[in-house]
Amino acid sequence: MQKTNSSISPISYSLTGQASPEFRQIGELGEQGWQCGKNFGMYGRGKMRKQGKILKIIWWVYIALLLVFVVVKFKGSFYELTDRISTYSMQGSINYNLIPFRSMSTQIKYITQWWALKNLLGNIIPFIPFGFLLPIAYKKFSSTISVFFTGLASILLIEVFQFLTKLGTFDVDDIILNMIGIVCGYLMFLVIKRLFVRDEVMRRSRKRRHRYTGL
């Protein structure tokens, strides 16, 4: 009589249409791993969306403050606003400058004096967050060209608004100084991004090395 082997391999189970215990365990582990990965991915995407919303809120709060204190130049008094408008509305009053470096050269000449330094820095510093926050809050504006032309268009709108409302002047020098601020902010963004990417690459490299060496 031919002796039959009572132990049936997992492959024979699969060929006969039955699932072996080993395959069932592997399948359950795979399903659990896939579900965990799916949940982790959803958690990661949800966390990124939440951070994106926070960054957008910070961006628009900055824009609101920029409009109030830099564009409109509100100093806590509506009387001062109306007085400024009436001053620029007087006959013979000029509230524009189309000659580059006309006012800036004077300010640079007297840069040791507070009024000149205040005017120079007052047109640069407020726009540094523009170049820094825009590519962080909106990734589609993260390229150099996008930041440059978005910043330039925004500054032109500001200058035109000030000219038409008589709240300020249309000054080419202001555009130059504002753009310097935006460029400085964008350079800060690039430096921090480069440092962050380098640290992330080094961290992943260490993890990979530890995984292979067991150290």
Side-chain angles (χ1 to χ4, degrees):
M1 182 181 294
Q2 187 178 1
K3 188 177 180 181
T4 59
N5 188 2
S6 59
S7 62
I8 303 175
S9 66
I11 298 177
S12 63
Y13 270 99
S14 62
L15 291 175
T16 56
Q18 302 176 9
S20 67
E22 290 85 352
F23 282 165
R24 284 199 299 270
Q25 291 177 0
I26 293 173
E28 291 174 358
L29 289 173
E31 185 178 356
Q32 292 175 3
W34 178 83
Q35 189 64 38
C36 289
K38 182 180 178 182
N39 293 337
F40 181 78
M42 291 175 64
Y43 171 76
R45 287 193 296 271
K47 188 175 181 180
M48 290 179 64
R49 282 196 295 268
K50 184 177 180 180
Q51 290 176 346
K53 289 180 180 178
I54 294 174
L55 289 171
K56 287 181 175 63
I57 291 172
I58 293 173
W59 164 258
W60 287 110
V61 168
Y62 158 72
I63 292 297
L65 294 175
L66 187 72
L67 290 174
V68 173
F69 295 106
V70 177
V71 179
V72 178
K73 295 182 176 67
F74 183 68
K75 301 176 182 179
S77 172
F78 289 100
Y79 174 78
E80 190 275 334
L81 287 179
T82 56
D83 183 63
R84 193 192 320 157
I85 293 172
S86 61
T87 299
Y88 283 122
S89 299
M90 292 175 59
Q91 187 175 3
S93 177
I94 299 175
N95 67 327
Y96 63 88
N97 170 40
L98 303 178
I99 303 175
F101 307 106
R102 182 177 183 178
S103 58
M104 195 190 310
S105 59
T106 304
Q107 294 167 4
I108 294 174
K109 182 179 179 181
Y110 296 98
I111 195 171
T112 55
Q113 299 185 20
W114 171 242
W115 65 268
L117 185 63
K118 179 183 176 182
N119 285 328
L120 289 172
L121 296 181
N123 280 301
I124 295 176
I125 293 177
F127 286 87
I128 292 177
F130 192 107
F132 181 78
L133 290 175
L134 178 61
I136 296 178
Y138 295 94
K139 292 185 178 180
K140 63 181 179 180
F141 292 105
S142 60
S143 67
T144 304
I145 295 176
S146 298
V147 173
F148 181 85
F149 283 106
T150 303
L152 182 60
S154 301
I155 292 170
L156 287 173
L157 286 174
I158 290 172
E159 294 297 313
V160 170
F161 172 80
Q162 289 181 331
F163 173 77
L164 294 177
T165 58
K166 306 297 183 180
L167 287 169
T169 62
F170 184 98
D171 195 337
V172 174
D173 288 347
D174 287 350
I175 296 175
I176 296 172
L177 293 172
N178 296 163
M179 286 303 300
I180 290 174
I182 291 177
V183 170
C184 290
Y186 185 66
L187 290 176
M188 290 173 58
F189 163 76
L190 292 179
V191 170
I192 293 174
K193 180 182 177 182
R194 186 179 183 87
L195 292 175
F196 177 80
V197 170
R198 187 184 66 179
D199 292 342
E200 184 68 16
V201 170
M202 292 177 63
R203 185 180 65 83
R204 291 183 179 181
S205 177
R206 285 195 297 267
K207 288 180 65 177
R208 194 179 300 112
R209 188 166 58 249
H210 292 335
R211 188 184 305 120
Y212 288 134
T213 60
L215 298 176

